[in-house]
Amino acid sequence: MQPIINLEVLDLYGNLLNNNDLTYLKGLSSLKSLRIGGNQLEGSIDIRDGERSLNLTNLEVLYLGNNFFNNSLLAQLSGLSNLKSLYMYNNQLKGSINIKGGIT
């Protein structure tokens, strides 16, 4: 089977995925839209460049709602310079986000 390296949109909403399942997204660096809401993802995920990351730096739209992410996820989003839309509703985030100064 040929890899789908040119895939730009992937919707995995509501599939009971956990963080370990996300390793299958490695190599999909052409993704522009990723919807992984409504799963059992928690804590944080590494979506930037790097040996252990998913290398999803071309993302323009990212749906993370209805999971169990916490504030540690916010630091991972700083490398997504192409991001235009971000959906993070219904997670375990606390406090505030400084939009003008970046995500801190």
Side-chain angles (χ1 to χ4, degrees):
M1 181 175 184
Q2 291 288 336
I4 47 177
I5 58 173
N6 295 321
L7 187 68
E8 293 186 357
V9 178
L10 181 59
D11 185 345
L12 295 171
Y13 186 90
N15 284 291
L16 302 176
L17 300 176
N18 63 43
N19 292 46
N20 292 330
D21 296 321
L22 295 181
T23 58
Y24 296 104
L25 300 178
K26 265 189 149 179
L28 297 178
S29 58
S30 61
L31 277 181
K32 292 183 179 180
S33 177
L34 177 61
R35 187 175 183 214
I36 53 176
N39 284 290
Q40 297 178 350
L41 304 171
E42 61 185 353
S44 182
I45 53 174
D46 194 355
I47 51 183
R48 299 176 292 180
D49 288 321
E51 185 178 313
R52 303 184 83 206
S53 73
L54 299 175
N55 190 17
L56 300 176
T57 54
N58 290 320
L59 284 177
E60 296 178 4
V61 180
L62 181 57
Y63 294 85
L64 300 172
N66 291 323
N67 279 295
F68 302 97
F69 290 121
N70 59 36
N71 288 41
S72 63
L73 172 70
L74 301 177
Q76 303 301 324
L77 302 177
S78 64
L80 299 178
S81 59
N82 295 317
L83 200 61
K84 296 177 181 162
S85 298
L86 175 62
Y87 302 88
M88 296 175 39
Y89 54 88
N90 200 22
N91 277 287
Q92 296 179 351
L93 303 174
K94 295 181 181 176
S96 61
I97 300 172
N98 180 357
I99 299 297
K100 289 183 181 180
I103 299 174
T104 57

